[in-house]
Amino acid sequence: MNVIGLTGWSGSGKTTLLVELVACITSLGYTVSTIKHAHHNFDVDQKGKDSYLHRKAGASEVLVASSNRWALMHELRTETEPDLEHLLTHISPVDVILVEGYKNNNHKKIEVHRPALGHPLIALEQNSVIAVATDKKILNAHELDVKILDLNDVMSITNFILSFFGLSSHKNFLAKDLS
């Protein structure tokens, strides 16, 4: 699977970039899935709904389905939090998987860095970072052995990701040419 993460400090724009990348990559004809790590207690269920009642009653898993989508909730209860590798086994095959979070995992990542926030570069400490997407010049960029990308140029970041995985930036056009 083609897995690449977005990492960065809170407020750097990881989610904004991820949403823009999904739109850009899918517009080129590729399929994309995302995995988001939440550091706090979250709930995708609404109190009082049937699925919430099933889960609260003790169901290990609750699958909700409609004509538009389905969602599987797995309650960990006494299990430990699953690692990224385990979660990837539950994702259907797609062209690219974008991961937000899992900063300390070894999958390849693009760091979203805004020097104005005053945080140190993660790329200086983690060799899993293969590029830094930034909105300003990085003063110590010469210390980095990674690609520097313009955070405001989503198409360039998309092309970097596709190229990293050996994918063409023109899948839609290739498919049409073959037919």
Side-chain angles (χ1 to χ4, degrees):
M1 279 197 251
N2 296 324
V3 178
I4 193 159
L6 296 181
T7 191
W9 297 97
S10 180
S12 62
K14 297 179 301 291
T15 301
T16 300
L17 178 59
L18 186 135
V19 169
E20 291 172 344
L21 287 170
V22 170
C24 196
I25 295 169
T26 57
S27 75
L28 296 172
Y30 290 101
T31 55
V32 178
S33 288
T34 65
I35 296 177
K36 162 73 173 153
H37 185 260
H39 294 286
H40 45 77
N41 192 16
F42 73 96
D43 205 335
V44 296
D45 232 347
Q46 293 182 9
K47 191 172 186 173
K49 294 292 185 180
D50 291 350
S51 56
Y52 177 89
L53 297 173
H54 297 182
R55 190 170 50 83
K56 286 298 183 182
S60 295
E61 291 188 333
V62 177
L63 193 145
V64 182
S66 74
S67 60
N68 294 328
R69 72 190 56 85
W70 66 270
L72 175 64
M73 291 172 284
H74 180 92
E75 197 67 20
L76 292 176
R77 306 220 186 271
T78 60
E79 301 169 52
T80 59
E81 180 179 351
D83 60 19
L84 179 59
E85 290 72 25
H86 175 75
L87 295 174
L88 287 168
T89 67
H90 294 283
I91 296 282
S92 298
V94 292
D95 297 310
V96 177
I97 297 175
L98 298 172
V99 177
E100 183 179 345
Y102 292 96
K103 183 187 303 187
N104 296 317
N105 277 52
N106 289 328
H107 62 286
K108 299 302 181 191
K109 300 174 200 79
I110 296 172
E111 179 178 354
V112 179
H113 182 74
R114 294 186 187 270
L117 295 177
H119 295 294
L121 280 162
I122 296 167
L124 291 171
E125 302 295 323
Q126 287 191 10
N127 61 5
S128 60
V129 175
I130 59 170
V132 175
T134 183
D135 61 344
K136 299 272 190 230
K137 184 175 179 158
I138 299 173
L139 296 178
N140 53 346
H142 64 281
E143 298 177 31
L144 298 172
D145 188 24
V146 299
K147 179 89 171 155
I148 305 297
L149 302 166
D150 181 351
L151 181 56
N152 298 310
D153 187 350
V154 177
M155 193 64 211
S156 280
I157 299 170
T158 297
N159 286 333
F160 174 81
I161 292 169
L162 295 176
S163 175
F164 181 77
F165 293 126
L167 301 172
S168 168
S169 60
H170 302 290
K171 182 177 182 181
N172 273 338
F173 305 112
L174 291 174
K176 289 176 184 173
D177 290 344
L178 295 175
S179 54

